Amino acid sequence: MKYLTKSLSSLVLGGALAMLVGLGGSAQASPKVVNVAYQTTYSPWIEAMVDGKFEKATGYEIHWKKFNSGAAVMSAMASGDIDIGVLGSPPLTAAVSRGMDIQVFWILENIANAEALMVRDGAHVKTPQDLAGKTIAVPFASTSHYQLMYMLDKWGIADKVRVINMSPEQAAAAWQRGDIDAAFIWGPALGRIRKTGHSMMSAGQICALGRCTFEGLAVTKGFGDAHPQFMSKFVGVINAANQDYHDHPDAWRAGSKNIGAVIRGLGGDANDAVEEMALYQYPSLKEQVSCQWLGCGAQGGVAKTLQLTAEFLKQQKKIDTVKSNYSDAVAARYAATILDAAKQ
């Protein structure tokens, strides 16, 4: 699931999106109907989705559609079937780089500790230099791949290690067999390999060095421009869920009503959901509009992340061109409206 969410899959390999770019209009059947694509990442906002809080706050009829990959979400948005969609930074970058008219308007999760470069205990690796000659598994064209290659280059060992393409599940199996020495992955597979390994770097630590990754919400520009009040109310609901998660941790434990709603929405085990959610960071409303994320135009965190990710994808031959500026693909105005209202 997470591999498909974060990898570029057919989005970067096929030509379908390129043909659909010009069709990225709004999919609403009437002024108060919106189609929203979500994926299976455990997160506080899922509780609000399951309990109908978005519909109550906005007065819109919302068609929630589940997808298993960022590539599929992008194709659906390009064809006009989806107005708002969840996706990770690499597929978003690829779509924008190809001219798709969408904007990120909310950071659902800073990946933080939910992804990490893990080293197997039996590999005898204590320092980055010890990775020379070792084999590292990572899903290619993913957020993890982007950060891994940055660190290998920074450590000066990019040409001294063997990097192979594996899904998290494949990497965990290879880890158990002793076929690999390290892996940069996420999700349940990360939890399994932690038992016999140690973290060399987390996604959050690499973000602090200037290479951040995220999972966000994007809207087709046509829909966002036509429905600004809906958009502001929509992010207000997400912010309320995040704030409750932050302020009332006891209400988000296994067995709680909130986690029960998350499990009803996505399935799985309550304990796994609690554990996975704790690995992410959910930016506050103030952080969302700051230079760290959506604010400050081309100098903002999201715009810079898209630029740097595009350069990586071009190097990997996944896209042909890199835009000179990615600020047009970022919209802080909806979150800013809610923040301004809170100050009054």
Side-chain angles (χ1 to χ4, degrees):
M1 173 274 293
K2 283 286 204 154
Y3 170 65
L4 291 173
T5 298
K6 292 175 169 59
S7 73
L8 297 179
S9 187
S10 58
L11 175 62
V12 300
L13 299 176
L17 178 61
M19 293 186 292
L20 292 170
V21 162
L23 302 177
S26 171
Q28 73 275 19
S30 71
K32 289 207 168 188
V33 176
V34 57
N35 296 293
V36 180
Y38 68 99
Q39 297 191 54
T40 51
T41 300
Y42 294 122
S43 186
W45 83 295
I46 299 298
E47 180 274 332
M49 180 190 79
V50 171
D51 284 351
K53 294 179 180 178
F54 289 97
E55 289 85 349
K56 183 177 180 180
T58 64
Y60 277 55
E61 178 182 339
I62 302 178
H63 298 162
W64 300 96
K65 301 185 179 184
K66 183 178 176 180
F67 285 77
N68 290 322
S69 75
V73 172
M74 287 293 91
S75 292
M77 293 183 78
S79 67
D81 291 335
I82 291 295
D83 301 300
I84 294 171
V86 175
L87 61 150
S89 40
L92 169 66
T93 301
V96 172
S97 296
R98 287 179 169 152
M100 191 170 170
D101 204 9
I102 58 175
Q103 293 183 315
V104 186
F105 66 91
W106 188 264
I107 304 304
L108 283 173
E109 300 104 11
N110 171 7
I111 291 177
N113 296 314
E115 296 180 13
L117 172 58
M118 299 295 296
V119 177
R120 192 167 51 82
D121 289 338
H124 308 295
V125 173
K126 297 186 181 300
T127 70
Q129 298 307 313
D130 294 334
L131 287 170
K134 304 296 185 181
T135 299
I136 305 175
V138 66
F140 278 12
S142 68
T143 48
S144 293
H145 190 205
Y146 165 61
Q147 290 191 318
L148 171 65
M149 298 312 296
Y150 170 72
M151 291 309 305
L152 292 179
D153 184 66
K154 189 175 182 66
W155 290 329
I157 57 174
D159 59 347
K160 299 177 182 179
V161 301
R162 181 179 177 228
V163 180
I164 60 175
N165 183 19
M166 285 188 173
S167 71
E169 294 75 18
Q170 291 171 332
W175 178 287
Q176 295 298 328
R177 295 192 302 268
D179 294 343
I180 59 174
D181 304 294
F184 202 143
I185 54 174
W186 56 79
L190 176 61
R192 291 200 300 273
I193 71 174
R194 280 187 188 278
K195 300 173 183 177
T196 54
H198 62 276
S199 174
M200 181 155 284
M201 290 289 286
S202 71
Q205 290 173 314
I206 299 173
C207 178
L209 296 176
R211 291 298 186 275
C212 296
T213 53
F214 63 83
E215 188 169 65
L217 276 165
V219 62
T220 58
K221 193 171 184 299
F223 181 88
D225 288 348
H227 303 267
Q229 292 185 343
F230 165 85
M231 294 297 298
S232 293
K233 291 177 181 178
F234 191 87
V235 300
V237 174
I238 305 176
N239 180 64
N242 287 351
Q243 193 65 45
D244 189 73
Y245 178 82
H246 180 269
D247 294 344
H248 305 101
D250 288 342
W252 292 86
R253 301 188 187 280
S256 67
K257 175 180 176 293
N258 290 329
I259 293 298
V262 172
I263 295 302
R264 289 201 309 276
L266 301 183
D269 179 80
N271 290 311
D272 289 342
V274 171
E275 182 178 344
E276 185 170 332
M277 287 168 65
L279 296 175
Y280 290 99
Q281 292 178 356
Y282 306 101
S284 68
L285 191 61
K286 185 176 181 180
E287 290 170 337
Q288 293 278 346
V289 303
S290 73
C291 293
Q292 180 181 1
W293 292 110
L294 300 171
C296 299
Q299 299 306 309
V302 171
K304 284 184 176 180
T305 292
L306 297 180
Q307 182 89 43
L308 292 168
T309 303
E311 292 170 0
F312 166 73
L313 294 177
K314 188 172 187 296
Q315 183 183 55
Q316 295 291 314
K317 302 186 186 304
K318 302 301 184 183
I319 60 174
D320 296 327
T321 59
V322 176
K323 292 163 62 79
S324 60
N325 187 327
Y326 281 80
S327 61
D328 286 348
V330 185
R333 59 189 178 277
Y334 309 120
T337 297
I338 297 298
L339 184 62
D340 290 343
K343 294 177 180 178
Q344 295 177 0

